[in-house]
Amino acid sequence: MSLKEIRLKRGKEESLDRFHPWVFSGAISEPLPTDLEEGETVTVYAHDGRLIGTGHFQIGSIAVRILEFGSAAPGDDFFEKRLSDALRLRKALGLARPDNNAYRLVHGEGDFLPGLVVDIYGCTAVIQAHSPGMHFARMKVAESLVRLADLGVRNVYYKSETTLPYKAHLDPQNTYLIGDFETSVATENGLQFNIDWLRGQKTGFFLDQRDNRELLGSYSRGRRVLNMFCYTGGFSVYAMKGGAIQVDSVDSSEKAITLTDANIELNFPGQSVHRSYAVDAFKFLDNMEKNAYDLIILDPPAFAKHRSALRNALRGYQRINARAFEKIAPGGIVFTFSCSQAVSREQFRLAVFSAAAQSRRRIRILHQLTQPADHPVNIYHPEGEYLKGLVLYVE
Ligand code: SAH
């Protein structure tokens, strides 16, 4: 079957020649092929007829996401090949081991599969499509996943109700494409976590904080730890493992607190070090006593989902960081994060700087953190970098 063709306006191939994988709608020479359907795979040509590659078409500002440069049609084994490359990288990273079976196998553009996320939790893969093209490819992806023998996946859960563009009218389902529920417990660095992919946020767990949680564990001995925006309690579990003498977890969602309590109980049954609070973070930070904690984690949701919300987001970061700096005990450590793609590393650092200046304390940066290696950034697609963190020492 031959693919429909899209031709670019003159000069609009430049970013694609540098392997940036998006064709913006304004770059396309009109008219579009007749009957072109959202999610179709198309072939893209420069204005002079030179082949650029193939990609998924979509209605919106990003009109095509390139799957393969220099090819006129992706082969039948396209997904199997890309997924097996992705697995090879995770194996090289040492992430698939008996004491660690939770990791991201596919991070969209970072794995040359734009619009697709695949997280592995033991024998279950949870996939999310962010583009109509990947929605239509879901069964191919699922079948390829179970065919990858060393991946050990038997069940594939598809979860795209919240990730697909709602205007596309795609009937996105949350359902098992292959297999069924087996177990929800996955292991990260020897610690166990109950992953609720059915009801949880994203694929049920924030795998992107794995390395940062491990670092946090190494700072926890003998400290009183406050984990703000705890969600499933990942940082809290690592703090307990690291020898914290007190761990308090805060999240405004009751559901998150239930998940956190369950994960603490799973790893440290009968413990008496951990307490949890279902309250608003801003209120908690405003009301908390001075010197009550020696280690504070601030890992809020993406305050700015879009550029328009940037100013408020930066104000939000400044406010929570200022409270932490004002109140943490002398010699305290703050782990502070932003996962908003719309907030740059510099902007985040400036917000934290302003908070520091407001507190008038002596503060130093100990570590500058980012996302882990199973969330790789395609060097031609810098937009793939989103997680930013600082570890600060507050005198
Ligand atoms: N730190 C977590 C991920 C945080 S996700 C981890 O490592 O897994 C963001 C969390 O912030 C969500 O659980 C959400 O319920 C919570 N949240 C959002 N707004 C909040 C608020 N105003 N106060 C407290 N928690 C909030």
Side-chain angles (χ1 to χ4, degrees):
M1 184 194 70
S2 80
L3 300 174
K4 288 179 192 147
E5 298 178 2
I6 278 184
R7 192 168 287 246
L8 301 178
K9 289 180 185 158
R10 198 181 300 279
K12 291 294 184 191
E13 69 285 0
E14 266 179 24
S15 62
L16 293 148
D17 282 342
R18 290 194 302 268
F19 303 114
H20 190 280
W22 295 345
V23 178
F24 291 97
S25 55
I28 295 175
S29 172
E30 302 281 341
L32 287 169
T34 45
D35 309 329
L36 182 58
E37 302 255 358
E38 191 152 37
E40 259 189 78
T41 305
V42 293
T43 312
V44 179
Y45 292 90
H47 192 262
D48 63 6
R50 184 167 51 89
L51 173 69
I52 301 287
T54 50
H56 282 149
F57 171 73
Q58 175 169 347
I59 296 164
S61 118
I62 304 169
V64 182
R65 291 157 203 262
I66 299 288
L67 297 169
E68 203 164 30
F69 284 100
S71 126
D76 288 340
D77 56 354
F78 172 80
F79 282 104
E80 211 152 322
K81 268 199 182 142
R82 286 279 153 97
L83 293 170
S84 107
D85 286 350
L87 179 57
R88 192 168 329 113
L89 175 60
R90 275 55 181 186
K91 294 226 158 184
L93 297 172
L95 286 175
R97 340 178 281 265
D99 69 332
N100 193 90
N101 64 15
Y103 55 93
R104 176 156 291 193
L105 178 68
V106 175
H107 184 58
E109 284 80 356
D111 284 288
F112 312 110
L113 287 166
L116 183 67
V117 163
V118 181
D119 285 344
I120 305 296
Y121 300 116
C123 57
T124 303
V126 181
I127 67 181
Q128 289 196 304
H130 292 258
S131 67
M134 285 300 177
H135 173 68
F136 293 129
R138 65 195 184 280
M139 231 26 243
K140 264 193 191 150
V141 172
E143 282 161 5
S144 305
L145 285 169
V146 294
R147 265 204 300 272
L148 283 178
D150 351 338
L151 182 61
V153 157
R154 293 186 290 274
N155 314 300
V156 181
Y157 187 71
Y158 181 62
K159 188 177 187 192
S160 291
E161 273 178 359
T162 54
T163 56
L164 283 168
Y166 68 98
K167 283 188 207 134
H169 305 300
L170 291 170
D171 181 29
Q173 326 109 312
N174 284 0
T175 180
Y176 284 95
L177 297 177
I178 297 179
D180 206 336
F181 178 82
E182 233 176 284
T183 170
S184 59
V185 176
T187 310
E188 184 183 88
N189 289 324
L191 295 164
Q192 294 197 299
F193 290 96
N194 228 311
I195 318 281
D196 188 356
W197 49 79
L198 298 183
R199 286 167 296 269
Q201 299 180 48
K202 305 269 169 86
T203 66
F205 195 58
F206 284 83
L207 292 162
D208 56 2
Q209 290 286 24
R210 182 195 319 102
D211 293 354
N212 304 331
R213 287 194 272 262
E214 199 165 26
L215 182 65
L216 181 276
S218 73
Y219 276 105
S220 297
R221 185 152 305 281
R223 291 186 187 266
R224 296 162 298 162
V225 178
L226 172 63
N227 181 12
M228 298 301 298
F229 309 94
C230 63
Y231 185 34
T232 58
F235 282 106
S236 306
V237 170
Y238 278 72
M240 301 269 297
K241 171 88 183 312
I245 52 173
Q246 177 192 335
V247 180
D248 289 356
S249 302
V250 175
D251 200 290
S252 54
S253 142
E254 291 277 356
K255 223 165 53 185
I257 292 299
T258 308
L259 290 169
T260 293
D261 289 343
N263 283 329
I264 295 282
E265 185 58 25
L266 189 61
N267 291 279
F268 309 99
Q271 59 75 38
S272 55
V273 170
H274 180 260
R275 290 177 301 196
S276 53
Y277 302 90
V279 294
D280 177 75
F282 290 90
K283 280 198 191 124
F284 189 95
L285 289 167
D286 283 346
N287 296 335
M288 98 187 166
E289 300 274 317
K290 250 186 143 165
N291 300 335
Y293 299 101
D294 315 289
L295 177 44
I296 298 178
I297 301 127
L298 301 171
D299 184 25
F303 281 159
K305 292 232 161 64
H306 301 285
R307 280 194 193 283
S308 53
L310 191 61
R311 209 127 71 97
N312 276 338
L314 292 173
R315 228 177 275 139
Y317 290 121
Q318 185 179 334
R319 177 160 161 212
I320 56 172
N321 282 279
R323 292 297 166 274
F325 297 151
E326 282 157 14
K327 298 193 176 177
I328 197 164
I333 305 266
V334 176
F335 275 63
T336 184
F337 297 96
S338 162
C339 61
S340 301
Q341 207 260 311
V343 174
S344 73
R345 193 165 282 280
E346 291 67 35
Q347 284 165 326
F348 176 60
R349 195 167 155 159
L350 193 60
V352 176
F353 160 83
S354 307
Q358 196 176 327
S359 75
R360 309 204 60 78
R361 292 180 72 170
R362 225 152 82 155
I363 298 180
R364 281 177 278 173
I365 297 174
L366 306 181
H367 302 267
Q368 309 197 37
L369 307 176
T370 184
Q371 62 216 54
D374 55 342
H375 295 60
V377 182
N378 176 344
I379 201 160
Y380 306 111
H381 179 260
E383 297 92 325
E385 184 187 345
Y386 66 98
L387 186 61
K388 301 153 285 282
L390 292 169
V391 181
L392 304 136
Y393 183 69
V394 186
E395 284 180 40

